[in-house]
Amino acid sequence: MPTVRPYRHRSARRTLLCSAAALTLPLLLTGCGDDAGATSGEDGTARAYGSEDVVSSVAEVPSIAALVPAKIRDGGTLRVGSGIGVPPVAFSPEGGGPPRGVDIDVSEAAARVLGLEVDRKHVSGASLITGLEAGRYDVGTANLSVTEERKQVLDFVLYVTDGAGFAVREDDPLKKVGDLSQLCGKKVGTGVGSTFETDLRAAADECAAAGKKPLTVLTYPDAAGHFLALRQKHVDVLMTTSSVLRYAAEEQPGLRYVNELDRKNVGLALKKGSGLAEPLAQAVNHLIDDGTYARILKKWNLEAAAVPVSAVNPPATP
């Protein structure tokens, strides 16, 4: 394993904390009314979004469970720190109850394969990363994209892909963003401290250097701020994870999903060298092989996010 220089470690950790924090803030689906997060069943009655049970039938696989480090296996519990914020990734239902989302289902199903019960804690981005490093959590879920810098401080188990997505008001003429240079002259909203902010500010510099109209970057601490800013015309375009924007466009009147760029691998995060990464990857692969994984993604309308096989510390891009 290559030596990690101290300044590089601190930089990677700062990037990780900011990105996780930006993804774990609450989402208010403004304009959706009291039925936000619900869909209609075949009989026309309302049912909670993503309420189907596709996990409880998953059984332990002894050959994979035997690979779990003894300390965790003997305790019988997988301590999961989860950022709870936005559907369909992970969110708290409006009517109360346990969190839902693809992160919740995948981690719960994988734990069942490993013969473990989940002890889930709702944590902020900063607490999640420090908790993993300190050993307070065995696994962290926060829709974290895999980067080479992040792999210096954490291990990752691949479970989905996600991209940088764009959304506009329904009447906006923008049809596709093929490159961030197309956003020159526009006001773009994104999450404060996110990797999207970094990319947009770099693009803004390029717009200025090329003598084009300025790209104005406006940041918000939560997704509610994003969508309100777009609705009130404070920004022209939103840029954040495509899975979140696709869902929001289905739920919020007047919002249109445009497209995505730069799809990346997303991983379950673990303390570096914990010994849990390989059995967890095997558990995810078992879910892929037996069809549970496909059922989970279908439940959350995330079939496009599927990976053919899980892996430990995959490359940054698919």
Side-chain angles (χ1 to χ4, degrees), residues 55 101-111 159-160 268 284 287 293 296-297:
V55 173
V102 67
D103 279 6
I104 307 302
D105 282 350
V106 169
S107 55
E108 175 69 33
Y159 69 109
V160 290
L268 303 169
V284 174
L287 298 172
Y293 175 78
I296 291 173
L297 295 192

mmCIF file of all heavy atoms in Angstrom, residues 55 101-111 159-160 268 284 287 293 296-297:
data_model
loop_
_atom_site.group_PDB
_atom_site.id
_atom_site.type_symbol
_atom_site.label_atom_id
_atom_site.label_comp_id
_atom_site.label_asym_id
_atom_site.label_seq_id
_atom_site.Cartn_x
_atom_site.Cartn_y
_atom_site.Cartn_z
ATOM 1 N N VAL A 55 -36.904 -7.023 1.069
ATOM 2 C CA VAL A 55 -35.701 -7.346 1.828
ATOM 3 C C VAL A 55 -35.908 -8.453 2.862
ATOM 4 O O VAL A 55 -35.005 -9.264 3.104
ATOM 5 C CB VAL A 55 -35.157 -6.070 2.526
ATOM 6 C CG1 VAL A 55 -34.008 -6.409 3.464
ATOM 7 C CG2 VAL A 55 -34.703 -5.044 1.490
ATOM 8 N N GLY A 101 -35.313 4.074 1.343
ATOM 9 C CA GLY A 101 -34.420 4.471 0.265
ATOM 10 C C GLY A 101 -33.538 3.320 -0.177
ATOM 11 O O GLY A 101 -33.454 2.279 0.480
ATOM 12 N N VAL A 102 -32.869 3.521 -1.296
ATOM 13 C CA VAL A 102 -32.024 2.463 -1.835
ATOM 14 C C VAL A 102 -30.869 2.141 -0.898
ATOM 15 O O VAL A 102 -30.487 0.976 -0.731
ATOM 16 C CB VAL A 102 -31.521 2.833 -3.248
ATOM 17 C CG1 VAL A 102 -30.566 4.020 -3.225
ATOM 18 C CG2 VAL A 102 -30.864 1.634 -3.922
ATOM 19 N N ASP A 103 -30.287 3.164 -0.251
ATOM 20 C CA ASP A 103 -29.203 2.908 0.698
ATOM 21 C C ASP A 103 -29.670 2.028 1.852
ATOM 22 O O ASP A 103 -28.935 1.147 2.319
ATOM 23 C CB ASP A 103 -28.689 4.232 1.271
ATOM 24 C CG ASP A 103 -27.708 4.944 0.351
ATOM 25 O OD1 ASP A 103 -27.514 4.464 -0.786
ATOM 26 O OD2 ASP A 103 -27.156 5.977 0.772
ATOM 27 N N ILE A 104 -30.892 2.286 2.314
ATOM 28 C CA ILE A 104 -31.429 1.529 3.439
ATOM 29 C C ILE A 104 -31.633 0.069 3.051
ATOM 30 O O ILE A 104 -31.232 -0.856 3.765
ATOM 31 C CB ILE A 104 -32.763 2.142 3.917
ATOM 32 C CG1 ILE A 104 -32.597 3.641 4.202
ATOM 33 C CG2 ILE A 104 -33.276 1.393 5.133
ATOM 34 C CD1 ILE A 104 -31.554 3.983 5.221
ATOM 35 N N ASP A 105 -32.264 -0.146 1.890
ATOM 36 C CA ASP A 105 -32.559 -1.518 1.462
ATOM 37 C C ASP A 105 -31.303 -2.319 1.156
ATOM 38 O O ASP A 105 -31.197 -3.491 1.526
ATOM 39 C CB ASP A 105 -33.469 -1.493 0.234
ATOM 40 C CG ASP A 105 -34.922 -1.206 0.576
ATOM 41 O OD1 ASP A 105 -35.259 -1.214 1.768
ATOM 42 O OD2 ASP A 105 -35.716 -0.965 -0.357
ATOM 43 N N VAL A 106 -30.346 -1.712 0.454
ATOM 44 C CA VAL A 106 -29.129 -2.453 0.093
ATOM 45 C C VAL A 106 -28.342 -2.839 1.341
ATOM 46 O O VAL A 106 -27.883 -3.984 1.477
ATOM 47 C CB VAL A 106 -28.255 -1.640 -0.874
ATOM 48 C CG1 VAL A 106 -26.883 -2.288 -1.042
ATOM 49 C CG2 VAL A 106 -28.929 -1.530 -2.244
ATOM 50 N N SER A 107 -28.170 -1.901 2.262
ATOM 51 C CA SER A 107 -27.392 -2.213 3.462
ATOM 52 C C SER A 107 -28.106 -3.230 4.345
ATOM 53 O O SER A 107 -27.475 -4.120 4.930
ATOM 54 C CB SER A 107 -27.089 -0.932 4.250
ATOM 55 O OG SER A 107 -28.268 -0.207 4.562
ATOM 56 N N GLU A 108 -29.430 -3.141 4.427
ATOM 57 C CA GLU A 108 -30.194 -4.109 5.220
ATOM 58 C C GLU A 108 -30.110 -5.512 4.603
ATOM 59 O O GLU A 108 -29.885 -6.502 5.307
ATOM 60 C CB GLU A 108 -31.654 -3.672 5.308
ATOM 61 C CG GLU A 108 -32.572 -4.658 6.008
ATOM 62 C CD GLU A 108 -32.315 -4.792 7.494
ATOM 63 O OE1 GLU A 108 -31.931 -3.781 8.114
ATOM 64 O OE2 GLU A 108 -32.496 -5.914 8.019
ATOM 65 N N ALA A 109 -30.280 -5.586 3.285
ATOM 66 C CA ALA A 109 -30.229 -6.885 2.616
ATOM 67 C C ALA A 109 -28.846 -7.512 2.717
ATOM 68 O O ALA A 109 -28.702 -8.723 2.954
ATOM 69 C CB ALA A 109 -30.646 -6.739 1.158
ATOM 70 N N ALA A 110 -27.799 -6.701 2.542
ATOM 71 C CA ALA A 110 -26.435 -7.223 2.643
ATOM 72 C C ALA A 110 -26.159 -7.738 4.052
ATOM 73 O O ALA A 110 -25.515 -8.788 4.230
ATOM 74 C CB ALA A 110 -25.433 -6.142 2.257
ATOM 75 N N ALA A 111 -26.645 -7.024 5.065
ATOM 76 C CA ALA A 111 -26.455 -7.473 6.447
ATOM 77 C C ALA A 111 -27.116 -8.822 6.675
ATOM 78 O O ALA A 111 -26.574 -9.682 7.375
ATOM 79 C CB ALA A 111 -27.024 -6.429 7.413
ATOM 80 N N TYR A 159 -21.936 -0.418 -5.122
ATOM 81 C CA TYR A 159 -23.305 -0.951 -5.136
ATOM 82 C C TYR A 159 -24.219 -0.281 -6.139
ATOM 83 O O TYR A 159 -25.206 -0.877 -6.554
ATOM 84 C CB TYR A 159 -23.938 -0.920 -3.734
ATOM 85 C CG TYR A 159 -24.258 0.453 -3.187
ATOM 86 C CD1 TYR A 159 -25.579 0.878 -3.060
ATOM 87 C CD2 TYR A 159 -23.254 1.305 -2.778
ATOM 88 C CE1 TYR A 159 -25.888 2.125 -2.529
ATOM 89 C CE2 TYR A 159 -23.550 2.552 -2.252
ATOM 90 C CZ TYR A 159 -24.860 2.960 -2.133
ATOM 91 O OH TYR A 159 -25.151 4.196 -1.616
ATOM 92 N N VAL A 160 -23.949 0.944 -6.570
ATOM 93 C CA VAL A 160 -24.715 1.595 -7.629
ATOM 94 C C VAL A 160 -23.812 2.584 -8.342
ATOM 95 O O VAL A 160 -22.663 2.804 -7.950
ATOM 96 C CB VAL A 160 -25.968 2.360 -7.097
ATOM 97 C CG1 VAL A 160 -27.044 1.421 -6.600
ATOM 98 C CG2 VAL A 160 -25.581 3.384 -6.045
ATOM 99 N N LEU A 268 -20.554 1.791 -0.596
ATOM 100 C CA LEU A 268 -20.713 1.716 0.846
ATOM 101 C C LEU A 268 -19.329 1.949 1.439
ATOM 102 O O LEU A 268 -18.353 1.339 0.995
ATOM 103 C CB LEU A 268 -21.247 0.342 1.257
ATOM 104 C CG LEU A 268 -22.565 -0.079 0.610
ATOM 105 C CD1 LEU A 268 -22.838 -1.549 0.889
ATOM 106 C CD2 LEU A 268 -23.712 0.794 1.095
ATOM 107 N N VAL A 284 -23.180 -8.275 -1.539
ATOM 108 C CA VAL A 284 -23.855 -7.508 -2.594
ATOM 109 C C VAL A 284 -23.927 -8.334 -3.874
ATOM 110 O O VAL A 284 -24.955 -8.355 -4.564
ATOM 111 C CB VAL A 284 -23.152 -6.159 -2.835
ATOM 112 C CG1 VAL A 284 -23.783 -5.431 -4.033
ATOM 113 C CG2 VAL A 284 -23.229 -5.279 -1.591
ATOM 114 N N LEU A 287 -26.715 -10.731 -3.711
ATOM 115 C CA LEU A 287 -27.988 -10.056 -3.965
ATOM 116 C C LEU A 287 -28.191 -9.808 -5.452
ATOM 117 O O LEU A 287 -29.318 -9.883 -5.961
ATOM 118 C CB LEU A 287 -28.038 -8.730 -3.206
ATOM 119 C CG LEU A 287 -27.966 -8.817 -1.678
ATOM 120 C CD1 LEU A 287 -27.839 -7.429 -1.070
ATOM 121 C CD2 LEU A 287 -29.196 -9.537 -1.113
ATOM 122 N N TYR A 293 -31.232 -7.600 -5.653
ATOM 123 C CA TYR A 293 -30.660 -6.304 -6.028
ATOM 124 C C TYR A 293 -31.514 -5.625 -7.102
ATOM 125 O O TYR A 293 -31.859 -4.437 -6.986
ATOM 126 C CB TYR A 293 -29.233 -6.526 -6.524
ATOM 127 C CG TYR A 293 -28.524 -5.307 -7.059
ATOM 128 C CD1 TYR A 293 -27.981 -4.358 -6.201
ATOM 129 C CD2 TYR A 293 -28.355 -5.138 -8.432
ATOM 130 C CE1 TYR A 293 -27.295 -3.263 -6.706
ATOM 131 C CE2 TYR A 293 -27.672 -4.046 -8.936
ATOM 132 C CZ TYR A 293 -27.139 -3.113 -8.072
ATOM 133 O OH TYR A 293 -26.462 -2.030 -8.580
ATOM 134 N N ILE A 296 -34.707 -4.312 -5.625
ATOM 135 C CA ILE A 296 -34.504 -3.095 -4.841
ATOM 136 C C ILE A 296 -34.430 -1.881 -5.767
ATOM 137 O O ILE A 296 -35.082 -0.850 -5.537
ATOM 138 C CB ILE A 296 -33.224 -3.194 -3.988
ATOM 139 C CG1 ILE A 296 -33.412 -4.225 -2.869
ATOM 140 C CG2 ILE A 296 -32.851 -1.832 -3.401
ATOM 141 C CD1 ILE A 296 -32.143 -4.518 -2.084
ATOM 142 N N LEU A 297 -33.639 -1.981 -6.822
ATOM 143 C CA LEU A 297 -33.499 -0.836 -7.730
ATOM 144 C C LEU A 297 -34.805 -0.528 -8.450
ATOM 145 O O LEU A 297 -35.157 0.647 -8.653
ATOM 146 C CB LEU A 297 -32.383 -1.093 -8.740
ATOM 147 C CG LEU A 297 -30.965 -1.215 -8.168
ATOM 148 C CD1 LEU A 297 -29.943 -1.166 -9.290
ATOM 149 C CD2 LEU A 297 -30.669 -0.128 -7.148
#
